[in-house]
PDB file of all heavy atoms in Angstrom:
ATOM      1  N   VAL A 165     -96.191 -33.419 -33.120  1.00 98.00           N
ATOM      2  CA  VAL A 165     -97.188 -33.780 -32.101  1.00 98.00           C
ATOM      3  C   VAL A 165     -96.737 -35.022 -31.336  1.00 98.00           C
ATOM      4  O   VAL A 165     -96.932 -35.122 -30.122  1.00 98.00           O
ATOM      5  CB  VAL A 165     -98.569 -33.996 -32.742  1.00 98.00           C
ATOM      6  CG1 VAL A 165     -99.581 -34.466 -31.696  1.00 98.00           C
ATOM      7  CG2 VAL A 165     -99.066 -32.701 -33.400  1.00 98.00           C
ATOM      8  N   GLN A 166     -96.111 -35.973 -32.032  1.00 98.00           N
ATOM      9  CA  GLN A 166     -95.601 -37.164 -31.345  1.00 98.00           C
ATOM     10  C   GLN A 166     -94.514 -36.801 -30.341  1.00 98.00           C
ATOM     11  O   GLN A 166     -94.491 -37.321 -29.212  1.00 98.00           O
ATOM     12  CB  GLN A 166     -95.046 -38.157 -32.364  1.00 98.00           C
ATOM     13  CG  GLN A 166     -94.656 -39.500 -31.751  1.00 98.00           C
ATOM     14  CD  GLN A 166     -95.854 -40.251 -31.208  1.00 98.00           C
ATOM     15  OE1 GLN A 166     -96.738 -40.619 -31.974  1.00 98.00           O
ATOM     16  NE2 GLN A 166     -95.887 -40.475 -29.896  1.00 98.00           N
ATOM     17  N   ILE A 167     -93.614 -35.899 -30.740  1.00 98.00           N
ATOM     18  CA  ILE A 167     -92.556 -35.437 -29.832  1.00 98.00           C
ATOM     19  C   ILE A 167     -93.171 -34.795 -28.594  1.00 98.00           C
ATOM     20  O   ILE A 167     -92.766 -35.073 -27.455  1.00 98.00           O
ATOM     21  CB  ILE A 167     -91.622 -34.449 -30.551  1.00 98.00           C
ATOM     22  CG1 ILE A 167     -90.790 -35.168 -31.615  1.00 98.00           C
ATOM     23  CG2 ILE A 167     -90.714 -33.723 -29.545  1.00 98.00           C
ATOM     24  CD1 ILE A 167     -90.019 -34.224 -32.531  1.00 98.00           C
ATOM     25  N   LEU A 168     -94.157 -33.944 -28.796  1.00 98.00           N
ATOM     26  CA  LEU A 168     -94.813 -33.275 -27.666  1.00 98.00           C
ATOM     27  C   LEU A 168     -95.567 -34.271 -26.794  1.00 98.00           C
ATOM     28  O   LEU A 168     -95.543 -34.173 -25.561  1.00 98.00           O
ATOM     29  CB  LEU A 168     -95.754 -32.190 -28.178  1.00 98.00           C
ATOM     30  CG  LEU A 168     -95.079 -30.977 -28.822  1.00 98.00           C
ATOM     31  CD1 LEU A 168     -96.120 -30.062 -29.466  1.00 98.00           C
ATOM     32  CD2 LEU A 168     -94.241 -30.204 -27.805  1.00 98.00           C
ATOM     33  N   SER A 169     -96.234 -35.225 -27.424  1.00 98.00           N
ATOM     34  CA  SER A 169     -96.974 -36.236 -26.672  1.00 98.00           C
ATOM     35  C   SER A 169     -96.039 -37.062 -25.782  1.00 98.00           C
ATOM     36  O   SER A 169     -96.284 -37.237 -24.583  1.00 98.00           O
ATOM     37  CB  SER A 169     -97.727 -37.155 -27.634  1.00 98.00           C
ATOM     38  OG  SER A 169     -98.345 -38.210 -26.952  1.00 98.00           O
ATOM     39  N   ASP A 170     -94.961 -37.556 -26.373  1.00 98.00           N
ATOM     40  CA  ASP A 170     -94.002 -38.373 -25.614  1.00 98.00           C
ATOM     41  C   ASP A 170     -93.363 -37.565 -24.491  1.00 98.00           C
ATOM     42  O   ASP A 170     -93.162 -38.072 -23.379  1.00 98.00           O
ATOM     43  CB  ASP A 170     -92.904 -38.903 -26.549  1.00 98.00           C
ATOM     44  CG  ASP A 170     -93.438 -39.906 -27.566  1.00 98.00           C
ATOM     45  OD1 ASP A 170     -94.554 -40.424 -27.365  1.00 98.00           O
ATOM     46  OD2 ASP A 170     -92.743 -40.147 -28.568  1.00 98.00           O
ATOM     47  N   SER A 171     -93.029 -36.325 -24.776  1.00 98.00           N
ATOM     48  CA  SER A 171     -92.382 -35.476 -23.776  1.00 98.00           C
ATOM     49  C   SER A 171     -93.341 -35.112 -22.651  1.00 98.00           C
ATOM     50  O   SER A 171     -92.959 -35.078 -21.478  1.00 98.00           O
ATOM     51  CB  SER A 171     -91.859 -34.195 -24.441  1.00 98.00           C
ATOM     52  OG  SER A 171     -90.934 -34.486 -25.460  1.00 98.00           O
ATOM     53  N   TRP A 172     -94.598 -34.867 -23.003  1.00 98.00           N
ATOM     54  CA  TRP A 172     -95.577 -34.460 -22.009  1.00 98.00           C
ATOM     55  C   TRP A 172     -95.844 -35.565 -21.006  1.00 98.00           C
ATOM     56  O   TRP A 172     -96.030 -35.297 -19.805  1.00 98.00           O
ATOM     57  CB  TRP A 172     -96.872 -34.035 -22.698  1.00 98.00           C
ATOM     58  CG  TRP A 172     -97.893 -33.475 -21.763  1.00 98.00           C
ATOM     59  CD1 TRP A 172     -99.164 -33.916 -21.565  1.00 98.00           C
ATOM     60  CD2 TRP A 172     -97.740 -32.340 -20.897  1.00 98.00           C
ATOM     61  NE1 TRP A 172     -99.812 -33.143 -20.636  1.00 98.00           N
ATOM     62  CE2 TRP A 172     -98.955 -32.165 -20.204  1.00 98.00           C
ATOM     63  CE3 TRP A 172     -96.685 -31.462 -20.636  1.00 98.00           C
ATOM     64  CZ2 TRP A 172     -99.140 -31.153 -19.266  1.00 98.00           C
ATOM     65  CZ3 TRP A 172     -96.868 -30.446 -19.691  1.00 98.00           C
ATOM     66  CH2 TRP A 172     -98.096 -30.311 -19.032  1.00 98.00           C
ATOM     67  N   LEU A 173     -95.833 -36.794 -21.452  1.00 97.00           N
ATOM     68  CA  LEU A 173     -96.062 -37.913 -20.533  1.00 97.00           C
ATOM     69  C   LEU A 173     -94.998 -37.992 -19.447  1.00 97.00           C
ATOM     70  O   LEU A 173     -95.260 -38.505 -18.352  1.00 97.00           O
ATOM     71  CB  LEU A 173     -96.116 -39.220 -21.308  1.00 97.00           C
ATOM     72  CG  LEU A 173     -97.369 -39.440 -22.169  1.00 97.00           C
ATOM     73  CD1 LEU A 173     -97.263 -40.758 -22.934  1.00 97.00           C
ATOM     74  CD2 LEU A 173     -98.624 -39.423 -21.314  1.00 97.00           C
ATOM     75  N   LYS A 174     -93.809 -37.436 -19.707  1.00 98.00           N
ATOM     76  CA  LYS A 174     -92.732 -37.458 -18.723  1.00 98.00           C
ATOM     77  C   LYS A 174     -92.951 -36.465 -17.589  1.00 98.00           C
ATOM     78  O   LYS A 174     -92.426 -36.656 -16.483  1.00 98.00           O
ATOM     79  CB  LYS A 174     -91.396 -37.150 -19.407  1.00 98.00           C
ATOM     80  CG  LYS A 174     -90.986 -38.149 -20.471  1.00 98.00           C
ATOM     81  CD  LYS A 174     -89.690 -37.710 -21.155  1.00 98.00           C
ATOM     82  CE  LYS A 174     -89.285 -38.669 -22.260  1.00 98.00           C
ATOM     83  NZ  LYS A 174     -88.047 -38.221 -22.955  1.00 98.00           N
ATOM     84  N   VAL A 175     -93.711 -35.395 -17.851  1.00 98.00           N
ATOM     85  CA  VAL A 175     -93.826 -34.314 -16.858  1.00 98.00           C
ATOM     86  C   VAL A 175     -95.274 -33.957 -16.541  1.00 98.00           C
ATOM     87  O   VAL A 175     -95.520 -33.057 -15.721  1.00 98.00           O
ATOM     88  CB  VAL A 175     -93.092 -33.046 -17.367  1.00 98.00           C
ATOM     89  CG1 VAL A 175     -91.603 -33.304 -17.495  1.00 98.00           C
ATOM     90  CG2 VAL A 175     -93.674 -32.561 -18.689  1.00 98.00           C
ATOM     91  N   ARG A 176     -96.192 -34.651 -17.135  1.00 97.00           N
ATOM     92  CA  ARG A 176     -97.611 -34.311 -16.996  1.00 97.00           C
ATOM     93  C   ARG A 176     -98.069 -34.241 -15.542  1.00 97.00           C
ATOM     94  O   ARG A 176     -98.878 -33.381 -15.165  1.00 97.00           O
ATOM     95  CB  ARG A 176     -98.423 -35.366 -17.745  1.00 97.00           C
ATOM     96  CG  ARG A 176     -99.907 -35.103 -17.831  1.00 97.00           C
ATOM     97  CD  ARG A 176    -100.548 -36.254 -18.583  1.00 97.00           C
ATOM     98  NE  ARG A 176    -101.904 -35.968 -19.007  1.00 97.00           N
ATOM     99  CZ  ARG A 176    -102.652 -36.828 -19.704  1.00 97.00           C
ATOM    100  NH1 ARG A 176    -102.155 -38.007 -20.046  1.00 97.00           N
ATOM    101  NH2 ARG A 176    -103.875 -36.491 -20.052  1.00 97.00           N
ATOM    102  N   ASP A 177     -97.559 -35.116 -14.703  1.00 98.00           N
ATOM    103  CA  ASP A 177     -97.999 -35.183 -13.310  1.00 98.00           C
ATOM    104  C   ASP A 177     -97.234 -34.240 -12.386  1.00 98.00           C
ATOM    105  O   ASP A 177     -97.505 -34.194 -11.190  1.00 98.00           O
ATOM    106  CB  ASP A 177     -97.851 -36.619 -12.795  1.00 98.00           C
ATOM    107  CG  ASP A 177     -98.783 -37.587 -13.514  1.00 98.00           C
ATOM    108  OD1 ASP A 177     -99.847 -37.143 -13.973  1.00 98.00           O
ATOM    109  OD2 ASP A 177     -98.437 -38.780 -13.617  1.00 98.00           O
ATOM    110  N   ASN A 178     -96.302 -33.496 -12.952  1.00 98.00           N
ATOM    111  CA  ASN A 178     -95.527 -32.534 -12.171  1.00 98.00           C
ATOM    112  C   ASN A 178     -96.252 -31.189 -12.223  1.00 98.00           C
ATOM    113  O   ASN A 178     -96.201 -30.468 -13.212  1.00 98.00           O
ATOM    114  CB  ASN A 178     -94.119 -32.408 -12.743  1.00 98.00           C
ATOM    115  CG  ASN A 178     -93.214 -31.529 -11.891  1.00 98.00           C
ATOM    116  OD1 ASN A 178     -93.681 -30.725 -11.086  1.00 98.00           O
ATOM    117  ND2 ASN A 178     -91.916 -31.662 -12.076  1.00 98.00           N
ATOM    118  N   SER A 179     -96.927 -30.833 -11.160  1.00 97.00           N
ATOM    119  CA  SER A 179     -97.771 -29.635 -11.158  1.00 97.00           C
ATOM    120  C   SER A 179     -96.974 -28.338 -11.216  1.00 97.00           C
ATOM    121  O   SER A 179     -97.547 -27.269 -11.442  1.00 97.00           O
ATOM    122  CB  SER A 179     -98.654 -29.622  -9.900  1.00 97.00           C
ATOM    123  OG  SER A 179     -97.861 -29.597  -8.728  1.00 97.00           O
ATOM    124  N   SER A 180     -95.658 -28.415 -11.031  1.00 98.00           N
ATOM    125  CA  SER A 180     -94.839 -27.203 -11.126  1.00 98.00           C
ATOM    126  C   SER A 180     -94.474 -26.866 -12.570  1.00 98.00           C
ATOM    127  O   SER A 180     -93.928 -25.797 -12.836  1.00 98.00           O
ATOM    128  CB  SER A 180     -93.547 -27.363 -10.309  1.00 98.00           C
ATOM    129  OG  SER A 180     -92.690 -28.321 -10.896  1.00 98.00           O
ATOM    130  N   VAL A 181     -94.775 -27.777 -13.493  1.00 98.00           N
ATOM    131  CA  VAL A 181     -94.431 -27.585 -14.911  1.00 98.00           C
ATOM    132  C   VAL A 181     -95.631 -27.004 -15.658  1.00 98.00           C
ATOM    133  O   VAL A 181     -96.704 -27.608 -15.700  1.00 98.00           O
ATOM    134  CB  VAL A 181     -93.994 -28.912 -15.555  1.00 98.00           C
ATOM    135  CG1 VAL A 181     -93.751 -28.738 -17.055  1.00 98.00           C
ATOM    136  CG2 VAL A 181     -92.735 -29.437 -14.881  1.00 98.00           C
ATOM    137  N   SER A 182     -95.451 -25.843 -16.249  1.00 98.00           N
ATOM    138  CA  SER A 182     -96.543 -25.189 -16.978  1.00 98.00           C
ATOM    139  C   SER A 182     -96.650 -25.671 -18.412  1.00 98.00           C
ATOM    140  O   SER A 182     -97.693 -25.512 -19.049  1.00 98.00           O
ATOM    141  CB  SER A 182     -96.345 -23.671 -16.981  1.00 98.00           C
ATOM    142  OG  SER A 182     -95.132 -23.328 -17.634  1.00 98.00           O
ATOM    143  N   GLY A 183     -95.555 -26.268 -18.937  1.00 98.00           N
ATOM    144  CA  GLY A 183     -95.603 -26.723 -20.317  1.00 98.00           C
ATOM    145  C   GLY A 183     -94.234 -27.098 -20.841  1.00 98.00           C
ATOM    146  O   GLY A 183     -93.315 -27.390 -20.071  1.00 98.00           O
ATOM    147  N   ILE A 184     -94.103 -27.044 -22.159  1.00 98.00           N
ATOM    148  CA  ILE A 184     -92.898 -27.509 -22.848  1.00 98.00           C
ATOM    149  C   ILE A 184     -92.334 -26.400 -23.734  1.00 98.00           C
ATOM    150  O   ILE A 184     -93.072 -25.693 -24.403  1.00 98.00           O
ATOM    151  CB  ILE A 184     -93.209 -28.753 -23.708  1.00 98.00           C
ATOM    152  CG1 ILE A 184     -93.415 -29.977 -22.805  1.00 98.00           C
ATOM    153  CG2 ILE A 184     -92.111 -29.019 -24.736  1.00 98.00           C
ATOM    154  CD1 ILE A 184     -93.889 -31.205 -23.553  1.00 98.00           C
ATOM    155  N   ILE A 185     -91.005 -26.284 -23.713  1.00 98.00           N
ATOM    156  CA  ILE A 185     -90.296 -25.398 -24.632  1.00 98.00           C
ATOM    157  C   ILE A 185     -89.559 -26.265 -25.635  1.00 98.00           C
ATOM    158  O   ILE A 185     -88.714 -27.084 -25.273  1.00 98.00           O
ATOM    159  CB  ILE A 185     -89.271 -24.514 -23.896  1.00 98.00           C
ATOM    160  CG1 ILE A 185     -89.950 -23.675 -22.822  1.00 98.00           C
ATOM    161  CG2 ILE A 185     -88.519 -23.626 -24.895  1.00 98.00           C
ATOM    162  CD1 ILE A 185     -88.968 -22.893 -21.952  1.00 98.00           C
ATOM    163  N   ALA A 186     -89.877 -26.114 -26.916  1.00 98.00           N
ATOM    164  CA  ALA A 186     -89.130 -26.755 -27.999  1.00 98.00           C
ATOM    165  C   ALA A 186     -88.591 -25.670 -28.912  1.00 98.00           C
ATOM    166  O   ALA A 186     -88.817 -24.471 -28.684  1.00 98.00           O
ATOM    167  CB  ALA A 186     -90.019 -27.736 -28.756  1.00 98.00           C
ATOM    168  N   MET A 187     -87.888 -26.065 -29.972  1.00 97.00           N
ATOM    169  CA  MET A 187     -87.228 -25.077 -30.826  1.00 97.00           C
ATOM    170  C   MET A 187     -87.984 -24.832 -32.121  1.00 97.00           C
ATOM    171  O   MET A 187     -88.704 -25.696 -32.623  1.00 97.00           O
ATOM    172  CB  MET A 187     -85.802 -25.528 -31.135  1.00 97.00           C
ATOM    173  CG  MET A 187     -84.864 -25.416 -29.952  1.00 97.00           C
ATOM    174  SD  MET A 187     -83.144 -25.858 -30.354  1.00 97.00           S
ATOM    175  CE  MET A 187     -83.311 -27.633 -30.566  1.00 97.00           C
ATOM    176  N   HIS A 188     -87.789 -23.629 -32.638  1.00 97.00           N
ATOM    177  CA  HIS A 188     -88.334 -23.213 -33.925  1.00 97.00           C
ATOM    178  C   HIS A 188     -87.157 -23.012 -34.873  1.00 97.00           C
ATOM    179  O   HIS A 188     -86.148 -22.422 -34.487  1.00 97.00           O
ATOM    180  CB  HIS A 188     -89.104 -21.904 -33.746  1.00 97.00           C
ATOM    181  CG  HIS A 188     -89.807 -21.440 -34.981  1.00 97.00           C
ATOM    182  ND1 HIS A 188     -90.974 -22.002 -35.424  1.00 97.00           N
ATOM    183  CD2 HIS A 188     -89.518 -20.449 -35.855  1.00 97.00           C
ATOM    184  CE1 HIS A 188     -91.374 -21.387 -36.530  1.00 97.00           C
ATOM    185  NE2 HIS A 188     -90.498 -20.434 -36.807  1.00 97.00           N
ATOM    186  N   GLY A 189     -87.275 -23.518 -36.101  1.00 97.00           N
ATOM    187  CA  GLY A 189     -86.132 -23.492 -36.987  1.00 97.00           C
ATOM    188  C   GLY A 189     -86.368 -22.851 -38.336  1.00 97.00           C
ATOM    189  O   GLY A 189     -87.508 -22.667 -38.770  1.00 97.00           O
ATOM    190  N   ILE A 190     -85.264 -22.531 -38.981  1.00 95.00           N
ATOM    191  CA  ILE A 190     -85.293 -22.106 -40.375  1.00 95.00           C
ATOM    192  C   ILE A 190     -85.602 -23.306 -41.259  1.00 95.00           C
ATOM    193  O   ILE A 190     -86.282 -23.210 -42.273  1.00 95.00           O
ATOM    194  CB  ILE A 190     -83.945 -21.482 -40.770  1.00 95.00           C
ATOM    195  CG1 ILE A 190     -83.638 -20.263 -39.910  1.00 95.00           C
ATOM    196  CG2 ILE A 190     -83.928 -21.112 -42.255  1.00 95.00           C
ATOM    197  CD1 ILE A 190     -82.235 -19.727 -40.088  1.00 95.00           C
ATOM    198  N   ASN A 191     -85.081 -24.463 -40.839  1.00 94.00           N
ATOM    199  CA  ASN A 191     -85.362 -25.745 -41.484  1.00 94.00           C
ATOM    200  C   ASN A 191     -85.323 -26.828 -40.414  1.00 94.00           C
ATOM    201  O   ASN A 191     -85.264 -26.522 -39.219  1.00 94.00           O
ATOM    202  CB  ASN A 191     -84.363 -26.017 -42.628  1.00 94.00           C
ATOM    203  CG  ASN A 191     -82.915 -25.892 -42.163  1.00 94.00           C
ATOM    204  OD1 ASN A 191     -82.522 -26.471 -41.144  1.00 94.00           O
ATOM    205  ND2 ASN A 191     -82.116 -25.107 -42.886  1.00 94.00           N
ATOM    206  N   HIS A 192     -85.325 -28.082 -40.825  1.00 93.00           N
ATOM    207  CA  HIS A 192     -85.386 -29.179 -39.850  1.00 93.00           C
ATOM    208  C   HIS A 192     -84.127 -29.286 -38.987  1.00 93.00           C
ATOM    209  O   HIS A 192     -84.169 -29.893 -37.911  1.00 93.00           O
ATOM    210  CB  HIS A 192     -85.597 -30.504 -40.586  1.00 93.00           C
ATOM    211  CG  HIS A 192     -86.977 -30.648 -41.157  1.00 93.00           C
ATOM    212  ND1 HIS A 192     -87.422 -29.896 -42.215  1.00 93.00           N
ATOM    213  CD2 HIS A 192     -88.012 -31.453 -40.791  1.00 93.00           C
ATOM    214  CE1 HIS A 192     -88.674 -30.233 -42.502  1.00 93.00           C
ATOM    215  NE2 HIS A 192     -89.051 -31.173 -41.654  1.00 93.00           N
ATOM    216  N   ASN A 193     -83.020 -28.715 -39.429  1.00 94.00           N
ATOM    217  CA  ASN A 193     -81.754 -28.897 -38.720  1.00 94.00           C
ATOM    218  C   ASN A 193     -81.167 -27.622 -38.140  1.00 94.00           C
ATOM    219  O   ASN A 193     -80.289 -27.687 -37.276  1.00 94.00           O
ATOM    220  CB  ASN A 193     -80.710 -29.513 -39.672  1.00 94.00           C
ATOM    221  CG  ASN A 193     -81.169 -30.847 -40.228  1.00 94.00           C
ATOM    222  OD1 ASN A 193     -81.542 -31.742 -39.481  1.00 94.00           O
ATOM    223  ND2 ASN A 193     -81.133 -30.975 -41.549  1.00 94.00           N
ATOM    224  N   GLU A 194     -81.640 -26.473 -38.597  1.00 96.00           N
ATOM    225  CA  GLU A 194     -81.039 -25.196 -38.207  1.00 96.00           C
ATOM    226  C   GLU A 194     -82.054 -24.341 -37.454  1.00 96.00           C
ATOM    227  O   GLU A 194     -83.063 -23.902 -38.024  1.00 96.00           O
ATOM    228  CB  GLU A 194     -80.562 -24.459 -39.454  1.00 96.00           C
ATOM    229  CG  GLU A 194     -79.826 -23.166 -39.166  1.00 96.00           C
ATOM    230  CD  GLU A 194     -79.354 -22.482 -40.440  1.00 96.00           C
ATOM    231  OE1 GLU A 194     -79.603 -23.019 -41.538  1.00 96.00           O
ATOM    232  OE2 GLU A 194     -78.753 -21.404 -40.329  1.00 96.00           O
ATOM    233  N   PRO A 195     -81.808 -24.058 -36.173  1.00 95.00           N
ATOM    234  CA  PRO A 195     -82.755 -23.237 -35.410  1.00 95.00           C
ATOM    235  C   PRO A 195     -82.637 -21.771 -35.782  1.00 95.00           C
ATOM    236  O   PRO A 195     -81.614 -21.329 -36.311  1.00 95.00           O
ATOM    237  CB  PRO A 195     -82.326 -23.462 -33.954  1.00 95.00           C
ATOM    238  CG  PRO A 195     -80.854 -23.695 -34.057  1.00 95.00           C
ATOM    239  CD  PRO A 195     -80.653 -24.462 -35.349  1.00 95.00           C
ATOM    240  N   ILE A 196     -83.683 -21.011 -35.504  1.00 95.00           N
ATOM    241  CA  ILE A 196     -83.587 -19.559 -35.576  1.00 95.00           C
ATOM    242  C   ILE A 196     -82.905 -19.101 -34.288  1.00 95.00           C
ATOM    243  O   ILE A 196     -83.419 -19.320 -33.191  1.00 95.00           O
ATOM    244  CB  ILE A 196     -84.973 -18.910 -35.714  1.00 95.00           C
ATOM    245  CG1 ILE A 196     -85.602 -19.302 -37.063  1.00 95.00           C
ATOM    246  CG2 ILE A 196     -84.880 -17.392 -35.601  1.00 95.00           C
ATOM    247  CD1 ILE A 196     -87.000 -18.767 -37.267  1.00 95.00           C
ATOM    248  N   GLY A 197     -81.744 -18.499 -34.417  1.00 93.00           N
ATOM    249  CA  GLY A 197     -80.952 -18.170 -33.240  1.00 93.00           C
ATOM    250  C   GLY A 197     -80.054 -19.337 -32.888  1.00 93.00           C
ATOM    251  O   GLY A 197     -79.465 -19.972 -33.777  1.00 93.00           O
ATOM    252  N   ASN A 198     -79.961 -19.668 -31.614  1.00 94.00           N
ATOM    253  CA  ASN A 198     -79.106 -20.776 -31.203  1.00 94.00           C
ATOM    254  C   ASN A 198     -79.941 -21.931 -30.655  1.00 94.00           C
ATOM    255  O   ASN A 198     -81.160 -21.839 -30.519  1.00 94.00           O
ATOM    256  CB  ASN A 198     -78.063 -20.320 -30.173  1.00 94.00           C
ATOM    257  CG  ASN A 198     -78.701 -19.702 -28.936  1.00 94.00           C
ATOM    258  OD1 ASN A 198     -79.913 -19.502 -28.868  1.00 94.00           O
ATOM    259  ND2 ASN A 198     -77.868 -19.401 -27.948  1.00 94.00           N
ATOM    260  N   PHE A 199     -79.264 -23.037 -30.374  1.00 95.00           N
ATOM    261  CA  PHE A 199     -79.929 -24.202 -29.810  1.00 95.00           C
ATOM    262  C   PHE A 199     -80.203 -23.992 -28.322  1.00 95.00           C
ATOM    263  O   PHE A 199     -79.511 -23.224 -27.645  1.00 95.00           O
ATOM    264  CB  PHE A 199     -79.040 -25.449 -29.971  1.00 95.00           C
ATOM    265  CG  PHE A 199     -78.964 -25.973 -31.372  1.00 95.00           C
ATOM    266  CD1 PHE A 199     -77.968 -25.555 -32.244  1.00 95.00           C
ATOM    267  CD2 PHE A 199     -79.898 -26.896 -31.831  1.00 95.00           C
ATOM    268  CE1 PHE A 199     -77.890 -26.035 -33.535  1.00 95.00           C
ATOM    269  CE2 PHE A 199     -79.833 -27.382 -33.122  1.00 95.00           C
ATOM    270  CZ  PHE A 199     -78.825 -26.952 -33.987  1.00 95.00           C
ATOM    271  N   LEU A 200     -81.220 -24.677 -27.816  1.00 96.00           N
ATOM    272  CA  LEU A 200     -81.463 -24.658 -26.382  1.00 96.00           C
ATOM    273  C   LEU A 200     -80.234 -25.211 -25.657  1.00 96.00           C
ATOM    274  O   LEU A 200     -79.592 -26.154 -26.148  1.00 96.00           O
ATOM    275  CB  LEU A 200     -82.683 -25.526 -26.040  1.00 96.00           C
ATOM    276  CG  LEU A 200     -84.055 -24.976 -26.439  1.00 96.00           C
ATOM    277  CD1 LEU A 200     -85.121 -26.048 -26.263  1.00 96.00           C
ATOM    278  CD2 LEU A 200     -84.409 -23.742 -25.615  1.00 96.00           C
TER     279      LEU A 200
END
Side-chain angles (χ1 to χ4, degrees):
V165 176
Q166 187 65 64
I167 291 170
L168 291 172
S169 175
D170 293 343
S171 301
W172 186 237
L173 288 178
K174 299 176 182 178
V175 296
R176 186 181 194 179
D177 295 332
N178 186 341
S179 61
S180 69
V181 175
S182 61
I184 287 173
I185 302 174
M187 288 183 289
H188 185 76
I190 300 171
N191 53 50
H192 289 69
N193 301 307
E194 185 179 0
I196 294 177
N198 58 354
F199 287 91
L200 288 170

